[in-house]
């Protein structure tokens, strides 16, 4: 298995695809997706454009859908929810389809949606993602951070590093033959430096600072947790994610 890391969707090579591509948006889209599935969401359908989300979701019964829209860290006016993992509970979400558009995470998913296998990952689901990779053994894997409006985000890279490092430890993989690019090695190094202080790192990160400016410590603290959900969201068709228990 050869694993490469791309810090933003813009870095992803054109004209080639891996066997498995994994979108990461720790703050907060992919963390929220896992939380929604944990609360019983039927599926998650992602959109870059809010207008298309609204139009496509009209074909779904109102009582069986949730429209989640976020821009600039805030819930979009007129939508049911924003982009917080703490929004989701069985009472709110069970059995419903989540129609979701965020500033960065959904854009990342659309960039890699043509890969044969597309997953999402977060710190909260790190171990489950590692288990999936070791069980299925794709030859090439891309870990793609969502970043922030095209710029690098620490939290996505540390999550990529956490996945790689855990895989190396669990399967006894060789670093030299597993690392696919310099960014992957840098991600592992970042995780090894901060693995006991992930919450502190997220507080220092620029997007963490944005959430702190809105007094949103609850989301930060939730997103910094490691290995709390046994969930691997997987793309069923382009733009539609499911969780196969």
């Amino acid at each position: 298995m050869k694993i490469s890391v791309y810090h933003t969707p813009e870095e992803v090579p054109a004209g080639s695809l891996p066997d498995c591509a994994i979108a990461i948006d720790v703050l907060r889209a992919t963390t929220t997706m896992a939380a929604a599935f944990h609360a019983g969401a039927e599926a998650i359908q992602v959109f870059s454009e809010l207008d298309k989300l609204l139009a496509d979701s009209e074909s779904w019964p109102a009582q069986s859908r949730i429209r989640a829209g976020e821009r600039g860290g805030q819930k979009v006016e007129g939508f049911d929810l924003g982009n917080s993992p703490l929004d989701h509970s069985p009472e709110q979400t069970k059995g419903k389809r989540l129609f979701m558009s965020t500033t960065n995470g959904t854009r990342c998913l659309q960039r890699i949606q043509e890969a044969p296998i597309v997953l999402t990952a977060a710190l909260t689901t790190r171990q489950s993602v590692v288990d999936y990779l070791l069980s299925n053994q794709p030859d090439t894997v891309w870990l793609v951070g969502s970043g922030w409006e095209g710029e690098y985000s620490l939290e996505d890279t540390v999550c990529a590093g956490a996945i790689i490092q855990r895989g190396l430890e669990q399967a006894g993989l060789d670093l030299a033959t597993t690392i696919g690019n310099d960014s992957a090695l840098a991600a592992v190094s970042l995780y090894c430096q901060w693995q006991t202080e992930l919450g502190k790192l997220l507080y220092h990160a620029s997007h963490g600072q944005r959430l702190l400016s809105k007094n949103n410590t609850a989301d930060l603290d939730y997103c910094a947790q490691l290995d709390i959900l046994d969930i691997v969201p997987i793309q069923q068709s382009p733009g539609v994610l499911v969780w196969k228990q």
Side-chain angles (χ1 to χ4, degrees):
M1 189 187 311
K2 186 73 76 172
I3 306 177
S4 299
V5 170
Y6 299 99
H7 299 301
T8 67
E10 288 77 12
E11 290 186 7
V12 170
S16 64
L17 289 170
D19 297 303
C20 177
I22 304 177
I24 303 172
D25 187 0
V26 171
L27 294 176
R28 294 164 286 171
T30 56
T31 305
T32 298
M33 290 171 186
F37 280 125
H38 183 63
E42 174 265 337
I44 299 173
Q45 198 161 339
V46 299
F47 298 84
S48 293
E49 299 174 5
L50 295 171
D51 288 345
K52 182 165 175 54
L53 183 159
L54 290 170
D56 286 10
S57 64
E58 279 297 319
S59 64
W60 211 260
Q63 68 273 17
S64 299
R65 75 182 183 219
I66 298 172
R67 291 165 165 167
E70 172 266 319
R71 290 294 183 270
Q74 297 289 334
K75 181 173 83 75
V76 177
E77 185 177 355
F79 280 66
D80 302 311
L81 299 176
N83 184 25
S84 170
L86 301 178
D87 284 341
H88 294 279
S89 64
E91 294 76 19
Q92 169 71 50
T93 304
K94 187 174 182 180
K96 297 179 182 178
R97 177 165 294 215
L98 184 63
F99 293 85
M100 186 175 187
S101 180
T102 71
T103 305
N104 304 295
T106 52
R107 181 175 55 86
C108 178
L109 271 166
Q110 290 197 325
R111 179 64 184 84
I112 61 174
Q113 69 181 8
E114 299 303 323
I117 300 170
V118 176
L119 312 176
T120 69
L123 291 169
T124 56
T125 63
R126 186 272 305 259
Q127 183 63 59
S128 298
V129 171
V130 170
D131 290 342
Y132 179 94
L133 292 175
L134 295 180
S135 295
N136 291 273
Q137 290 292 319
D139 287 338
T140 54
V141 178
W142 291 356
L143 300 174
V144 184
S146 296
W148 176 266
E149 297 182 346
E151 296 186 359
Y152 171 87
S153 288
L154 274 173
E155 66 275 6
D156 296 342
T157 299
V158 82
C159 182
I163 291 168
I164 298 169
Q165 181 63 21
R166 182 60 180 146
L168 292 170
E169 294 170 349
Q170 188 169 326
L173 300 176
D174 177 66
L175 183 69
T177 58
T178 302
I179 296 297
N181 63 0
D182 285 354
S183 292
L185 183 57
V188 171
S189 300
L190 180 67
Y191 172 70
C192 289
Q193 176 69 28
W194 288 91
Q195 58 186 308
T196 62
E197 295 184 294
L198 292 172
K200 186 176 180 180
L201 177 67
L202 266 60
Y203 271 61
H204 283 311
S206 58
H207 192 31
Q209 290 290 311
R210 293 184 192 97
L211 294 175
L212 286 174
S213 72
K214 306 177 193 304
N215 297 314
N216 191 349
T217 59
D219 277 0
L220 275 168
D221 293 341
Y222 181 91
C223 293
Q225 297 177 97
L226 198 60
D227 303 336
I228 63 168
L229 298 179
D230 185 14
I231 290 171
V232 182
I234 186 168
Q235 183 174 262
Q236 182 182 62
S237 59
V240 179
L241 298 164
V242 296
W243 171 36
K244 296 180 181 178
Q245 301 185 46

